Amino acid sequence: MISSLSSQTIGILGGGQLGLMLLQAAIDWNLRVHILDPDAEAPCRHLATSFQQGSLTDYDTVYQFGQSVDVLTIEIEKVNVDALEALEREGKKVYPQPSVIRTIQDKRVQKQFFRDHNLPTADFILTDDRGHVTQFTEFLPAFHKLGRDGYDGRGVQRIASADEVHKAFDAPGVLEKAVDFNKELAVIVGRNERGEMMTFPTVEMVFHPEQNLVEYLFAPAEIPEAVNQQAQDIARQTAEAFGIVGLLAVEMFLTKDGDVLVNEVAPRPHNSGHHTIRANVTSQYEQHWRAILNLPLGDTTAYQPAAMVNLLGEPGHTGPARYEGFEQLLGMPGVFPFLYGKAITKPFRKMGHVTVMDTDLERLRQKVAEVKQCVRVVS
Amino acid sequence: MISSLSSQTIGILGGGQLGLMLLQAAIDWNLRVHILDPDAEAPCRHLATSFQQGSLTDYDTVYQFGQSVDVLTIEIEKVNVDALEALEREGKKVYPQPSVIRTIQDKRVQKQFFRDHNLPTADFILTDDRGHVTQFTEFLPAFHKLGRDGYDGRGVQRIASADEVHKAFDAPGVLEKAVDFNKELAVIVGRNERGEMMTFPTVEMVFHPEQNLVEYLFAPAEIPEAVNQQAQDIARQTAEAFGIVGLLAVEMFLTKDGDVLVNEVAPRPHNSGHHTIRANVTSQYEQHWRAILNLPLGDTTAYQPAAMVNLLGEPGHTGPARYEGFEQLLGMPGVFPFLYGKAITKPFRKMGHVTVMDTDLERLRQKVAEVKQCVRVVS
């Protein structure tokens, strides 16, 4: 019963910025949240009911941490799924479900899952190693993605032609037809135990040209309503196919032909939903709690159009972080910086983000440009 | 410089619900916040950078706690001001300033301050003890308020006539002419070191008939624009008179004659501003940080009309708290409960609040009625 919300304990595997924003949302309902993270300096270290330093990939550590809580969730996919499955078998609530995490951990399995469930996705070939890749030069240009352990652009390479095949990762991967796309879209779906679903408005992601990291994002995406409907439907179908309990962030391509294709998914709060803290009735973080605690899902309506600018560590700067221009940011109306509390900045490290809001789209774009001009994370 | 925002340490005297909401807002900017509170089970106990159990009224405890931080603030007025003054003399930033806290701690001094600064306030007489009160029967009906240590309705009595004078508190107090008022209003003012000021929209408080506690509140107040302007001006004048750095919540009466009179003030985040977390561009909690850290003050515009319902412990229930109807609340659109994490409920104890929002005032009122019907804090 709900009266016991604050008497149950929740564990999160991972104590980074997503965990931090989950903790911030958890304060509203006085949820007791315990964190496991390998980094003693993780952003969540001071703000959890308890913080345990330990490996997320070690069976015993994850298993024992899971046993100490009533509900277990994640803020990062790279965790020991065997331990989660053992906990699930023993009746522990583990959301998202270990089977979902297992499927998503390996991009090969994930892609095959899309195909098996008739979810539209770019054509692909599963490859075993570099030698295998060289057999498919007629399939190029393509993206070659490592099956496991890719993260934030690492583990993804573009192979334009046969000349470049020699640089392919020499490990199991997926060779994905390079799609001519106009936009990259994302929809975050919340789904609870009862199977209720609620989607956030479709957003448009703009990637950093070099780093394959989201550089900024607009919400809502500027797309025709029919395309929006397609993106929303595909996101729901994807969440339904997984049967996920929790959040599923569905990244999609809008091709030049007007098709919407699933690119990849994440079973947790996502970079493409940071702005919802300020801009939407329910944030993705609160929605995560609602979904995994089997509560009614919250209204996802936006109050105003919003943009999100990632605060990435400036190239050439490694060391204790300083935020140049932070005070000017705070003087700009409708501009909301959020810092992740990472002591050390490195080139392109995600150090924070800035949510920007405005009722007028042109002014919103103008403000985004000003924010990007104004703030730098340096050492 | 602002780049060092997260390297400086902030201390809060008090770790109750106001401290909790300050901590929640502090997460955005990765502020390091240390808490001192006498209660080992205070709401802030798990969520601060550090939590120290100790007396807020003991000179040495407050002085030493203050020495350990760079900026010191409060979430409750009943603190040792001598220690704060010593710290201030030594160059510590103490906001609000000790002189402001000293004035406000004693309702006699506070009332005299209003008079000395030509701030409109109900006529009053300072009284030394019960015997003194009996000399002013022609001044009745009046409210008799204890000079010191009144809180949440305790320490305030209505004395209707000479027959009731025998029940007057036998301590220094203030006898305040009972005002025929239509509404009770409040305006929260933020003021930073540079003297910049920003007010939140005027709200209307509805008190519990028995408990002299805010039962619910509407924002914005339904008052003519001229009255609103008067309330806003008086609030600004009051903050200016104190020269406060921080927040000043100014409670006012709107009399039947259309006058606005200052009732009392609080130099900190206030019950009348809880709804700003959800309803306003900048919350009162974020504004407090902006004010005391000498940052630009934030936009106080409301996204939508809002109401706030206090969650008070149900009469007849003392013990571990349960929140009946909480799940139904979460299913209501635009309804945002906030629980303070107090383990034990007691009759009329403030256990949480619910913010209610709607674009339509009639629906807003309807929702408030539903919320009050729906939820009960029981043991």
Side-chain angles (χ1 to χ4, degrees):
Chain A
M1 243 314 285
I2 209 57
S3 57
S4 61
L5 252 195
S6 49
S7 62
Q8 70 188 340
T9 59
I10 301 165
I12 306 180
L13 298 179
Q17 63 262 24
L18 299 174
L20 185 65
M21 291 180 265
L22 282 169
L23 286 179
Q24 191 182 35
I27 292 174
D28 285 5
W29 305 341
N30 186 37
L31 303 179
R32 302 308 165 89
V33 185
H34 303 265
I35 299 274
L36 177 68
D37 194 281
D39 182 359
E41 293 301 311
C44 291
R45 63 197 177 283
H46 295 306
L47 295 162
T49 303
S50 80
F51 177 82
Q52 180 185 334
Q53 187 187 1
S55 167
L56 301 176
T57 52
D58 177 66
Y59 183 96
D60 289 337
T61 307
V62 170
Y63 180 76
Q64 279 158 26
F65 178 77
Q67 281 201 315
S68 73
V69 299
D70 299 315
V71 181
L72 188 59
T73 189
I74 61 166
E75 59 112 53
I76 184 169
E77 295 91 89
K78 201 180 167 186
V79 296
N80 190 300
V81 179
D82 292 336
L84 297 184
E85 284 175 341
L87 290 160
E88 187 182 50
R89 274 195 303 275
E90 292 166 18
K92 185 74 66 184
K93 291 202 174 196
V94 184
Y95 294 132
Q97 301 92 323
S99 60
V100 175
I101 303 172
R102 192 179 282 288
T103 299
I104 286 168
Q105 273 184 340
D106 190 328
K107 290 209 168 75
R108 296 157 50 89
V109 181
Q110 191 183 140
K111 271 299 258 191
Q112 190 60 47
F113 181 92
F114 298 153
R115 183 173 278 169
D116 293 347
H117 289 81
N118 297 314
L119 298 164
T121 192
D123 198 12
F124 67 93
I125 295 164
L126 300 182
T127 54
D128 299 328
D129 53 23
R130 185 180 297 148
H132 199 185
V133 174
T134 61
Q135 299 172 23
F136 301 106
T137 51
E138 82 289 354
F139 197 70
L140 304 175
F143 285 94
H144 187 225
K145 296 179 176 175
L146 272 183
R148 301 185 68 88
D149 301 342
Y151 184 67
D152 266 357
R154 290 184 289 273
V156 177
Q157 53 187 187
R158 189 173 197 279
I159 304 184
S161 65
D163 297 348
E164 291 180 9
V165 164
H166 66 277
K167 72 172 189 185
F169 301 123
D170 192 18
V174 54
L175 199 62
E176 198 176 299
K177 198 83 181 168
V179 171
D180 263 354
F181 62 85
N182 273 328
K183 286 176 191 273
E184 296 200 47
L185 307 175
V187 173
I188 295 172
V189 189
R191 187 174 178 281
N192 66 13
E193 276 181 48
R194 292 166 247 179
E196 291 166 3
M197 280 200 289
M198 198 79 98
T199 58
F200 283 87
T202 310
V203 304
E204 181 176 339
M205 296 178 293
V206 180
F207 280 75
H208 188 283
E210 290 163 50
Q211 293 297 318
N212 197 28
L213 277 171
V214 174
E215 191 175 17
Y216 58 100
L217 158 157
F218 279 95
E222 278 198 282
I223 46 176
E225 182 46 30
V227 171
N228 180 46
Q229 212 41 66
Q230 214 181 329
Q232 291 276 317
D233 288 347
I234 289 170
R236 294 173 76 93
Q237 286 159 23
T238 308
E240 192 67 44
F242 279 105
I244 193 169
V245 174
L247 294 186
L248 191 74
V250 182
E251 297 187 39
M252 289 165 278
F253 297 120
L254 170 59
T255 71
K256 296 224 156 120
D257 299 332
D259 293 325
V260 177
L261 304 178
V262 177
N263 176 20
E264 55 185 57
V265 301
R268 50 163 172 78
H270 191 251
N271 200 40
S272 66
H274 291 337
H275 64 288
T276 59
I277 296 176
R278 293 287 190 162
N280 294 64
V281 173
T282 305
S283 75
Q284 67 164 342
Y285 302 97
E286 180 177 320
Q287 197 75 309
H288 181 81
W289 293 127
R290 287 176 179 259
I292 72 167
L293 299 172
N294 206 26
L295 298 168
L297 296 174
D299 179 2
T300 56
T301 307
Y303 293 118
Q304 286 180 10
M308 188 278 294
V309 179
N310 267 320
L311 291 179
L312 304 177
E314 196 73 12
H317 290 262
T318 298
R322 292 184 306 114
Y323 301 87
E324 278 184 10
F326 191 79
E327 181 164 351
Q328 289 97 297
L329 277 190
L330 292 180
M332 295 166 68
V335 170
F336 308 98
F338 193 106
L339 304 181
Y340 300 157
K342 298 177 182 176
I344 301 298
T345 184
K346 298 175 195 167
F348 300 108
R349 188 176 194 197
K350 286 183 188 167
M351 300 299 288
H353 69 263
V354 184
T355 295
V356 185
M357 290 169 65
D358 207 297
T359 48
D360 179 82
L361 286 177
E362 208 31 67
R363 274 203 311 263
L364 180 60
R365 253 183 286 272
Q366 181 57 36
K367 276 192 209 171
V368 167
E370 285 168 27
V371 165
K372 286 164 64 172
Q373 201 62 36
C374 167
V375 65
R376 279 179 4 128
V377 187
V378 297
S379 62
Chain B
M1 242 313 285
I2 207 58
S3 58
S4 61
L5 252 194
S6 49
S7 61
Q8 69 188 341
T9 57
I10 302 165
I12 306 179
L13 299 178
Q17 62 263 24
L18 299 174
L20 185 65
M21 290 180 267
L22 283 169
L23 286 180
Q24 190 182 35
I27 292 175
D28 284 4
W29 305 340
N30 186 37
L31 303 178
R32 303 307 165 90
V33 185
H34 302 265
I35 299 275
L36 178 68
D37 194 281
D39 181 0
E41 295 300 311
C44 290
R45 65 197 176 282
H46 295 305
L47 295 162
T49 302
S50 79
F51 177 82
Q52 180 185 333
Q53 187 186 0
S55 167
L56 301 176
T57 52
D58 177 66
Y59 183 95
D60 290 335
T61 306
V62 169
Y63 180 76
Q64 281 157 24
F65 177 78
Q67 281 202 315
S68 72
V69 298
D70 299 315
V71 181
L72 189 58
T73 189
I74 61 165
E75 58 111 55
I76 183 169
E77 295 90 89
K78 201 178 168 189
V79 296
N80 190 299
V81 179
D82 292 336
L84 297 184
E85 284 175 341
L87 290 161
E88 186 183 50
R89 273 195 304 275
E90 293 166 18
K92 185 74 67 187
K93 291 202 173 195
V94 184
Y95 295 132
Q97 301 92 322
S99 61
V100 175
I101 302 172
R102 193 179 281 291
T103 299
I104 286 168
Q105 274 183 339
D106 189 328
K107 290 210 167 74
R108 296 158 50 90
V109 182
Q110 190 182 141
K111 272 298 258 190
Q112 190 60 46
F113 181 92
F114 299 152
R115 181 174 280 170
D116 293 347
H117 290 79
N118 296 314
L119 297 165
T121 192
D123 198 13
F124 67 93
I125 295 164
L126 300 182
T127 54
D128 299 327
D129 53 24
R130 185 179 298 147
H132 199 184
V133 174
T134 61
Q135 299 173 24
F136 301 107
T137 51
E138 81 290 354
F139 197 69
L140 304 176
F143 285 94
H144 186 225
K145 298 178 177 177
L146 272 183
R148 301 185 68 88
D149 301 341
Y151 185 67
D152 267 357
R154 290 184 288 274
V156 176
Q157 53 187 186
R158 188 172 198 281
I159 303 183
S161 66
D163 297 348
E164 292 181 5
V165 163
H166 66 279
K167 73 173 187 184
F169 301 122
D170 192 17
V174 54
L175 199 62
E176 197 175 299
K177 198 84 181 168
V179 171
D180 263 352
F181 61 85
N182 273 329
K183 287 178 191 273
E184 297 200 47
L185 308 175
V187 172
I188 296 172
V189 189
R191 187 175 179 282
N192 66 14
E193 277 181 45
R194 293 166 246 180
E196 290 166 4
M197 278 199 289
M198 197 79 97
T199 58
F200 283 87
T202 310
V203 304
E204 181 175 340
M205 297 179 293
V206 180
F207 281 75
H208 187 284
E210 289 163 48
Q211 293 298 317
N212 197 29
L213 277 171
V214 175
E215 190 176 17
Y216 58 100
L217 156 157
F218 279 95
E222 278 198 282
I223 46 177
E225 182 46 32
V227 171
N228 179 47
Q229 212 42 67
Q230 213 181 330
Q232 292 275 319
D233 289 347
I234 290 171
R236 292 174 77 93
Q237 287 160 23
T238 308
E240 193 66 45
F242 278 105
I244 192 169
V245 173
L247 294 186
L248 191 74
V250 183
E251 297 186 39
M252 290 166 277
F253 297 120
L254 170 60
T255 71
K256 297 225 157 116
D257 300 333
D259 293 325
V260 177
L261 304 177
V262 177
N263 176 19
E264 56 185 55
V265 301
R268 51 164 171 78
H270 192 251
N271 200 42
S272 65
H274 291 336
H275 64 289
T276 60
I277 297 177
R278 294 285 190 162
N280 295 65
V281 174
T282 305
S283 76
Q284 67 164 340
Y285 302 98
E286 179 177 321
Q287 197 75 308
H288 181 82
W289 294 127
R290 287 176 179 259
I292 72 166
L293 300 172
N294 205 28
L295 297 168
L297 296 174
D299 179 3
T300 56
T301 307
Y303 293 118
Q304 288 180 9
M308 189 278 294
V309 179
N310 267 321
L311 290 181
L312 304 177
E314 197 71 14
H317 290 262
T318 298
R322 290 183 308 114
Y323 301 87
E324 278 184 9
F326 190 78
E327 182 166 349
Q328 288 98 296
L329 276 190
L330 291 180
M332 295 166 68
V335 169
F336 308 97
F338 194 106
L339 304 182
Y340 300 156
K342 298 178 182 175
I344 301 297
T345 185
K346 298 175 195 168
F348 300 108
R349 189 175 193 197
K350 286 183 187 167
M351 300 299 288
H353 70 263
V354 184
T355 295
V356 185
M357 290 169 64
D358 207 296
T359 48
D360 179 83
L361 287 176
E362 208 29 68
R363 274 203 311 262
L364 180 62
R365 252 183 285 274
Q366 180 57 33
K367 276 193 209 171
V368 167
E370 285 167 28
V371 166
K372 286 164 64 173
Q373 201 62 34
C374 167
V375 64
R376 278 177 8 126
V377 187
V378 297
S379 61

